[in-house]
Amino acid sequence: MSAPPVAVRTRRRDGVVFTVVVSVLVAGSAALMLLVLALSGAPGTLVLATVLAALPVGPLVAAYLWLDRYEPEPRWLLASGLLWGGFVATAAAILVQGVGGWVVGFTEEASLAVVAPVTEEASKGAFLLLLLWWRRAELDGILDGIVYAGMVGVGFAFVENILYLAAAYDGTDGMGPGGTTALTTTFVLRCLFSPFAHPLFTTFIGLGVGIAVGSRSGAVRLLAPVGGYLLAVIAHGLWNGSTIFGFGSFALVYLVLMLPALLGLGGLAFWARRSERRMLTMALGDAARRGLIPGTDIGWVVDLGARRLARRHARERGGPDAERAMRDYQQAAVELGFLHHRYLRGTPPPDFALRGQEYVARIGAVRPSIAFPGQVVPTR
């Protein structure tokens, strides 16, 4: 048997390295953070804090999954982002801030407004850089960067909120005697008014990584993630710094900077998702002219409503197996569309030809066994 192509070996090696590195770091950091959580309050306090901190997690994750519907990212990678944010990023930030405070002697204000943003955004952004280095094939543009950054930010905020809520209830946060009133205030501020804060900060890094993936310029590929990190640190620093000067300053930053930034990035995400439909239509149209996919199938792939209709049609006529085949076909066609778009832009990945052959093979293998509404599955 001949040796696999270099591109195959490289991709497999990178995938293994990424999985091993992330798994080891998550496992080690989880042990550390579970110890920190165990020491941060009584069991009953921690259970209450965990339940309250978990309340915004579901809606936030659902929002990012909704954005990710055109080309759903692997669920295990999204879960890895959550775990990285919850354990690796929090543990790294605590260690670096603790050691730095002990060695350098930062004031509380400097630690809150400068050290925390620098270390926390670096520890969260590291996951996106690992994706960029070892799983670049999973990143197709700024929307993927937004989704992965959001998952990391949600994980980080969840664990951090547990610590803050437990400290507020126990009165160890330096803000008062504790109790239900302090817990409620912290919950309202962190879990109701600003659950998006950490995902929002890290989204700037995700944008930088997404821009880097699609750029033809080497300088942009280098500087875009750096610029995204700097914007994340600045936004995070302004947010933290506003709390030093009282509620009025916090409310001003919230209304003047944070809400507009959230609305702006949300609008950008919606625009990116809508543009993906136009991009896929164009790219798959060119692919169809090259004989890579039937042109009549494009509408059933690029329109989300048509996708659902096709899957329901397949399930009603062929059961779960037919629906699974339809889903596999649509996913392979979408992957081919994103890959072909990068080829047309002049930024194909190194393994472009190999991945393209794999997608075309998947499409060819499944297509004879599926039928869209109004079509008949060919008899065998």
Side-chain angles (χ1 to χ4, degrees), residues 130-214:
L130 292 180
L131 282 176
L132 189 61
W133 289 334
W134 287 324
R135 298 301 300 253
R136 184 182 291 259
E138 304 297 342
L139 295 168
D140 291 305
I142 63 173
L143 193 58
D144 287 350
I146 290 173
V147 170
Y148 281 114
M151 290 296 176
V152 175
V154 170
F156 188 97
F158 170 59
V159 173
E160 186 182 63
N161 283 342
I162 295 175
L163 295 173
Y164 272 94
L165 290 166
Y169 187 77
D170 290 338
T172 58
D173 58 354
M175 302 298 290
T180 303
T181 300
L183 176 68
T184 302
T185 300
T186 301
F187 171 75
V188 170
L189 289 176
R190 298 188 65 89
C191 299
L192 295 184
F193 281 178
S194 59
F196 57 83
H198 276 291
L200 174 65
F201 304 146
T202 314
T203 290
F204 288 109
I205 304 176
L207 287 174
V209 169
I211 291 171
V213 168

Side-chain angles (χ1 to χ4, degrees), residues 1 12 22 40 42 45 60 69 75 84 87 108-109 140 163 181 185 189 204 217 234 247 275 290-291 325 334 336 372:
M1 181 180 295
R12 289 175 178 170
V22 171
S40 63
T45 300
L60 287 171
R69 288 191 297 168
R75 290 296 183 256
W84 181 281
F87 295 128
E108 183 177 351
E109 290 78 8
D140 291 305
L163 295 173
T181 300
T185 300
L189 289 176
F204 288 109
S217 168
I234 292 171
F247 182 78
S275 68
R290 299 169 188 261
V334 168
L336 177 65
F372 295 105

Side-chain angles (χ1 to χ4, degrees), residues 355-376:
R355 287 170 56 193
Q357 291 170 4
E358 291 178 351
Y359 296 146
V360 171
R362 285 170 56 188
I363 289 171
V366 177
R367 185 61 183 89
S369 63
I370 65 172
F372 295 105
Q375 298 177 349
V376 178

Side-chain angles (χ1 to χ4, degrees), residues 146 200 203-204 207 257-272:
I146 290 173
L200 174 65
T203 290
F204 288 109
L207 287 174
L257 293 179
M258 295 302 294
L259 279 184
L262 176 65
L263 294 174
L265 289 175
L268 178 62
F270 283 121
W271 171 85

Side-chain angles (χ1 to χ4, degrees), residues 25 42 55-56 81 118 133 152 159 191 205-206 233 239 249 255 257 279 284 295 300 307 316 351-352 361 368 377:
L25 289 176
L55 292 178
V118 169
W133 289 334
V152 175
V159 173
C191 299
I205 304 176
V233 170
W239 177 256
S249 177
L255 294 174
L257 293 179
M279 177 271 291
L284 288 176
W300 299 105
R307 280 196 212 179
E316 291 172 352
D351 59 347
F352 161 77
V377 179

